[in-house]
């Protein structure tokens, strides 16, 4: 098999039968929006950039703190205090200058999300709070995009994909009703460094497969227990009482 027409950098990936030249070219045409340049967003952005994604927009209004560095692998000690989206953009420019990266330094509110959805194909929810998670879900659903949602607390991770190009798809609100949730933050409960990296990389894995039209975790909630190293899967169905999609 040949990978002619594909930059040498991506030749190993294009050699995969499941991807091939067409899959790699589809990845190169895909625009991803990453909400959050923290523990999940950093490894996800790294894998997407290294895979030759067409375009990345990274949204984060937070600043890099020293306690972020173990998980948030695009940030460095020299960039403590810098906006996280800008720090991620700097890192990715070094790692793969061929991938255009836009840094958005505002909070991801409804208006900003609605605007950003217009210029992306796939959204990666890499936030750390339910309020933004639900806002991202609503915006992705309204704009009929593919949503990869991920989260990690302690040793436990969750991952799910919703393809809102299909009108009958369930949504994040079907899984976690808006009024029933309370945030569990790494700052209060602790979090295991590699668990976050794993789930962030898995989110990128799903986004890349979606870009290449391969089967993803669509409507399947993956629960990852990295303490026991056990994986469990639940199918997600539409909640007739969902306040967002019903
Ligand atoms: Zn729903």
């Amino acid at each position: 098999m040949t990978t002619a027409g594909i930059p040498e950098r991506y030749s190993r990936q294009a050699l995969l039968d499941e991807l091939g030249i067409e899959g790699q070219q589809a990845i190169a045409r895909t625009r991803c929006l990453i909400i959050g340049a923290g523990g999940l967003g950093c490894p996800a952005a790294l894998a997407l950039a290294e895979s030759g994604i067409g375009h990345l927009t990274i949204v984060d209004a937070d600043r890099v703190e020293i306690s972020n560095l173990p998980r948030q692998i695009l940030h460095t000690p020299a960039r403590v205090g810098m906006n996280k989206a800008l720090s991620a953009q700097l890192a990715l420019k070094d790692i793969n200058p061929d991938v255009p990266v836009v840094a958005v330094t505002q909070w991801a509110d409804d208006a900003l999300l609605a605007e950003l959805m217009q210029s992306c194909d796939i959204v990666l929810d890499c936030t750390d709070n339910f309020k933004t998670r639900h806002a991202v879900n609503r915006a992705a659903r309204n704009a009929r995009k593919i949503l990869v949602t991920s989260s990690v607390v302690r040793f436990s991770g969750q991952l799910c994909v919703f393809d809102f190009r299909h009108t009958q798809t369930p949504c994040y609100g079907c899984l976690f009703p808006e009024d029933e949730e309370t945030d569990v933050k790494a700052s209060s409960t602790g979090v295991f460094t590699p668990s976050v990296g794993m789930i962030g990389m898995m989110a990128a894995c799903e986004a890349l497969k979606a870009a290449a039209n391969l089967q993803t975790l669509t409507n399947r909630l993956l629960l990852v227990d990295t303490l026991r190293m056990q994986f469990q899967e639940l199918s997600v169905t539409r909640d007739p009482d969902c306040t967002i999609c019903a």
Side-chain angles (χ1 to χ4, degrees):
M1 191 178 161
T2 166
T3 56
I6 293 291
E8 172 69 16
R9 179 162 189 153
Y10 312 120
S11 58
R12 299 300 186 274
Q13 194 160 272
L15 272 174
L16 294 166
D17 288 339
E18 293 81 355
L19 279 176
I21 292 170
E22 273 184 26
Q24 188 60 43
Q25 287 172 335
I27 288 169
R29 287 191 302 269
T30 299
R31 300 159 303 169
C32 282
L33 171 63
I34 302 181
I35 313 297
L40 293 162
C42 283
L46 178 66
L48 290 173
E50 288 288 32
S51 295
I53 200 77
H55 189 276
L56 280 179
T57 301
I58 303 177
V59 186
D60 206 314
D62 249 343
R63 293 184 180 279
V64 178
E65 294 175 32
I66 193 97
S67 64
N68 298 151
L69 298 179
R71 301 169 308 287
Q72 306 186 13
I73 54 177
L74 295 178
H75 311 313
T76 61
R79 294 204 286 271
V80 167
M82 184 186 282
N83 171 272
K84 287 186 183 179
L86 290 173
S87 170
Q89 183 188 41
L90 276 178
L92 293 169
K93 196 177 166 196
D94 264 352
I95 290 164
N96 189 353
D98 296 337
V99 172
V101 179
V102 168
V104 178
T105 60
Q106 297 158 256
W107 292 112
D109 60 16
D110 290 337
L112 178 65
L113 286 169
E115 183 193 328
L116 294 174
M117 289 294 159
Q118 299 311 314
S119 51
C120 82
D121 305 297
I122 300 173
V123 191
L124 289 90
D125 169 12
C126 295
T127 58
D128 64 352
N129 67 86
F130 284 119
K131 187 168 178 282
T132 312
R133 250 176 232 298
H134 281 291
V136 174
N137 174 58
R138 271 195 305 274
R141 186 172 178 277
N142 288 341
R144 300 206 171 288
K145 303 296 179 181
I146 299 170
L147 169 64
V148 181
T149 184
S150 55
S151 68
V152 176
V153 287
R154 303 183 191 94
F155 290 89
S156 301
Q158 294 184 346
L159 188 66
C160 193
V161 179
F162 300 103
D163 187 347
F164 294 121
R165 293 173 303 178
H166 307 296
T167 50
Q168 291 306 308
T169 196
C171 80
Y172 184 78
C174 297
L175 264 179
F176 303 103
E178 257 178 305
D179 49 355
E180 289 180 12
E181 295 166 20
T182 46
D183 280 328
V184 183
K185 293 244 184 184
S187 54
S188 56
T189 63
V191 65
F192 195 47
T193 293
S195 311
V196 189
M198 282 172 65
I199 302 295
M201 281 282 169
M202 288 161 79
C205 179
E206 292 310 300
L208 290 165
K209 287 189 298 175
N213 215 17
L214 295 173
Q215 194 185 347
T216 65
L217 263 181
T218 299
N219 303 342
R220 294 150 59 201
L221 174 66
L222 184 69
L223 305 171
V224 181
D225 174 351
T226 65
L227 185 58
R228 293 167 192 85
M229 207 44 95
Q230 288 175 340
F231 291 64
Q232 194 189 349
E233 194 182 303
L234 305 172
S235 75
V236 183
T237 51
R238 234 173 151 182
D239 176 358
D241 296 325
C242 176
T243 54
I244 292 157
C245 74

